[in-house]
PDB file of all heavy atoms in Angstrom:
ATOM      1  N   GLU A  56       6.021 -27.916  11.275  1.00  0.00           N
ATOM      2  CA  GLU A  56       7.268 -27.698  10.525  1.00  0.00           C
ATOM      3  C   GLU A  56       7.244 -26.345   9.709  1.00  0.00           C
ATOM      4  O   GLU A  56       8.200 -25.625   9.742  1.00  0.00           O
ATOM      5  CB  GLU A  56       7.743 -28.790   9.819  1.00  0.00           C
ATOM      6  CG  GLU A  56       8.116 -30.031  10.664  1.00  0.00           C
ATOM      7  CD  GLU A  56       9.333 -29.982  11.519  1.00  0.00           C
ATOM      8  OE1 GLU A  56      10.099 -29.007  11.327  1.00  0.00           O
ATOM      9  OE2 GLU A  56       9.549 -30.985  12.324  1.00  0.00           O
ATOM     10  N   GLU A  57       6.114 -26.180   9.108  1.00  0.00           N
ATOM     11  CA  GLU A  57       6.009 -25.002   8.343  1.00  0.00           C
ATOM     12  C   GLU A  57       5.971 -23.748   9.306  1.00  0.00           C
ATOM     13  O   GLU A  57       6.492 -22.721   8.842  1.00  0.00           O
ATOM     14  CB  GLU A  57       4.619 -24.969   7.587  1.00  0.00           C
ATOM     15  CG  GLU A  57       4.630 -25.922   6.360  1.00  0.00           C
ATOM     16  CD  GLU A  57       3.388 -25.868   5.497  1.00  0.00           C
ATOM     17  OE1 GLU A  57       3.214 -24.830   4.831  1.00  0.00           O
ATOM     18  OE2 GLU A  57       2.626 -26.742   5.566  1.00  0.00           O
ATOM     19  N   PHE A  58       5.374 -23.777  10.424  1.00  0.00           N
ATOM     20  CA  PHE A  58       5.400 -22.740  11.404  1.00  0.00           C
ATOM     21  C   PHE A  58       6.876 -22.540  11.887  1.00  0.00           C
ATOM     22  O   PHE A  58       7.165 -21.335  12.127  1.00  0.00           O
ATOM     23  CB  PHE A  58       4.510 -23.028  12.580  1.00  0.00           C
ATOM     24  CG  PHE A  58       3.002 -22.316  12.361  1.00  0.00           C
ATOM     25  CD1 PHE A  58       2.061 -23.283  11.910  1.00  0.00           C
ATOM     26  CD2 PHE A  58       2.816 -21.063  12.386  1.00  0.00           C
ATOM     27  CE1 PHE A  58       0.796 -22.748  11.777  1.00  0.00           C
ATOM     28  CE2 PHE A  58       1.488 -20.621  12.165  1.00  0.00           C
ATOM     29  CZ  PHE A  58       0.491 -21.424  11.924  1.00  0.00           C
ATOM     30  N   ASN A  59       7.548 -23.559  11.991  1.00  0.00           N
ATOM     31  CA  ASN A  59       8.982 -23.416  12.307  1.00  0.00           C
ATOM     32  C   ASN A  59       9.795 -22.513  11.332  1.00  0.00           C
ATOM     33  O   ASN A  59      10.476 -21.634  11.786  1.00  0.00           O
ATOM     34  CB  ASN A  59       9.661 -24.811  12.569  1.00  0.00           C
ATOM     35  CG  ASN A  59       9.267 -25.615  13.762  1.00  0.00           C
ATOM     36  OD1 ASN A  59       8.536 -25.093  14.735  1.00  0.00           O
ATOM     37  ND2 ASN A  59       9.482 -26.839  13.682  1.00  0.00           N
ATOM     38  N   GLU A  60       9.460 -22.776  10.124  1.00  0.00           N
ATOM     39  CA  GLU A  60      10.094 -22.025   9.064  1.00  0.00           C
ATOM     40  C   GLU A  60       9.543 -20.611   9.025  1.00  0.00           C
ATOM     41  O   GLU A  60      10.379 -19.633   8.911  1.00  0.00           O
ATOM     42  CB  GLU A  60       9.816 -22.641   7.646  1.00  0.00           C
ATOM     43  CG  GLU A  60      10.545 -24.043   7.536  1.00  0.00           C
ATOM     44  CD  GLU A  60      10.256 -24.714   6.180  1.00  0.00           C
ATOM     45  OE1 GLU A  60       9.760 -24.042   5.213  1.00  0.00           O
ATOM     46  OE2 GLU A  60      10.491 -25.849   6.028  1.00  0.00           O
ATOM     47  N   LEU A  61       8.330 -20.370   9.423  1.00  0.00           N
ATOM     48  CA  LEU A  61       7.729 -19.052   9.440  1.00  0.00           C
ATOM     49  C   LEU A  61       8.253 -18.330  10.538  1.00  0.00           C
ATOM     50  O   LEU A  61       8.384 -17.013  10.509  1.00  0.00           O
ATOM     51  CB  LEU A  61       6.174 -19.273   9.501  1.00  0.00           C
ATOM     52  CG  LEU A  61       5.369 -17.943   9.392  1.00  0.00           C
ATOM     53  CD1 LEU A  61       5.622 -17.173   8.149  1.00  0.00           C
ATOM     54  CD2 LEU A  61       3.958 -18.413   9.581  1.00  0.00           C
ATOM     55  N   ALA A  62       8.624 -18.919  11.583  1.00  0.00           N
ATOM     56  CA  ALA A  62       9.167 -18.300  12.791  1.00  0.00           C
ATOM     57  C   ALA A  62      10.363 -17.525  12.303  1.00  0.00           C
ATOM     58  O   ALA A  62      10.651 -16.413  12.940  1.00  0.00           O
ATOM     59  CB  ALA A  62       9.383 -19.279  13.909  1.00  0.00           C
ATOM     60  N   GLU A  63      11.208 -18.129  11.538  1.00  0.00           N
ATOM     61  CA  GLU A  63      12.498 -17.485  11.036  1.00  0.00           C
ATOM     62  C   GLU A  63      11.957 -16.126  10.366  1.00  0.00           C
ATOM     63  O   GLU A  63      12.688 -15.063  10.488  1.00  0.00           O
ATOM     64  CB  GLU A  63      13.212 -18.386  10.107  1.00  0.00           C
ATOM     65  CG  GLU A  63      13.838 -19.542  10.899  1.00  0.00           C
ATOM     66  CD  GLU A  63      14.535 -20.474   9.869  1.00  0.00           C
ATOM     67  OE1 GLU A  63      14.951 -20.076   8.837  1.00  0.00           O
ATOM     68  OE2 GLU A  63      14.567 -21.539  10.296  1.00  0.00           O
ATOM     69  N   GLU A  64      11.011 -16.266   9.571  1.00  0.00           N
ATOM     70  CA  GLU A  64      10.549 -14.944   8.846  1.00  0.00           C
ATOM     71  C   GLU A  64      10.071 -13.926   9.818  1.00  0.00           C
ATOM     72  O   GLU A  64      10.345 -12.764   9.552  1.00  0.00           O
ATOM     73  CB  GLU A  64       9.377 -15.297   7.816  1.00  0.00           C
ATOM     74  CG  GLU A  64       9.922 -16.019   6.675  1.00  0.00           C
ATOM     75  CD  GLU A  64       8.707 -16.088   5.619  1.00  0.00           C
ATOM     76  OE1 GLU A  64       8.301 -15.137   5.156  1.00  0.00           O
ATOM     77  OE2 GLU A  64       8.471 -17.277   5.294  1.00  0.00           O
ATOM     78  N   PHE A  65       9.397 -14.290  10.867  1.00  0.00           N
ATOM     79  CA  PHE A  65       8.951 -13.328  11.865  1.00  0.00           C
ATOM     80  C   PHE A  65      10.205 -12.603  12.420  1.00  0.00           C
ATOM     81  O   PHE A  65      10.257 -11.346  12.607  1.00  0.00           O
ATOM     82  CB  PHE A  65       8.212 -13.956  12.970  1.00  0.00           C
ATOM     83  CG  PHE A  65       6.805 -14.136  12.744  1.00  0.00           C
ATOM     84  CD1 PHE A  65       6.160 -15.235  12.188  1.00  0.00           C
ATOM     85  CD2 PHE A  65       5.845 -13.071  12.897  1.00  0.00           C
ATOM     86  CE1 PHE A  65       4.927 -15.443  11.879  1.00  0.00           C
ATOM     87  CE2 PHE A  65       4.559 -13.246  12.767  1.00  0.00           C
ATOM     88  CZ  PHE A  65       4.066 -14.369  12.136  1.00  0.00           C
ATOM     89  N   GLY A  66      11.314 -13.367  12.673  1.00  0.00           N
ATOM     90  CA  GLY A  66      12.520 -12.855  13.326  1.00  0.00           C
ATOM     91  C   GLY A  66      13.189 -11.790  12.267  1.00  0.00           C
ATOM     92  O   GLY A  66      13.670 -10.733  12.702  1.00  0.00           O
ATOM     93  N   GLU A  67      13.031 -12.043  11.006  1.00  0.00           N
ATOM     94  CA  GLU A  67      13.626 -11.170   9.962  1.00  0.00           C
ATOM     95  C   GLU A  67      12.813  -9.875   9.882  1.00  0.00           C
ATOM     96  O   GLU A  67      13.272  -8.971   9.356  1.00  0.00           O
ATOM     97  CB  GLU A  67      13.662 -11.873   8.651  1.00  0.00           C
ATOM     98  CG  GLU A  67      14.496 -13.047   8.539  1.00  0.00           C
ATOM     99  CD  GLU A  67      14.433 -13.864   7.296  1.00  0.00           C
ATOM    100  OE1 GLU A  67      13.521 -13.573   6.443  1.00  0.00           O
ATOM    101  OE2 GLU A  67      15.056 -14.978   7.263  1.00  0.00           O
ATOM    102  N   HIS A  68      11.627  -9.900  10.506  1.00  0.00           N
ATOM    103  CA  HIS A  68      10.730  -8.707  10.459  1.00  0.00           C
ATOM    104  C   HIS A  68      10.555  -8.030  11.881  1.00  0.00           C
ATOM    105  O   HIS A  68       9.622  -7.454  12.122  1.00  0.00           O
ATOM    106  CB  HIS A  68       9.397  -8.972   9.787  1.00  0.00           C
ATOM    107  CG  HIS A  68       9.451  -9.306   8.385  1.00  0.00           C
ATOM    108  ND1 HIS A  68       9.720 -10.510   7.884  1.00  0.00           N
ATOM    109  CD2 HIS A  68       9.217  -8.418   7.372  1.00  0.00           C
ATOM    110  CE1 HIS A  68       9.696 -10.441   6.526  1.00  0.00           C
ATOM    111  NE2 HIS A  68       9.334  -9.150   6.180  1.00  0.00           N
TER     112      HIS A  68
END
Side-chain angles (χ1 to χ4, degrees):
E56 294 289 349
E57 287 187 68
F58 271 102
N59 289 345
E60 292 176 20
L61 186 58
E63 293 177 23
E64 288 188 58
F65 275 96
E67 293 166 4
H68 288 86

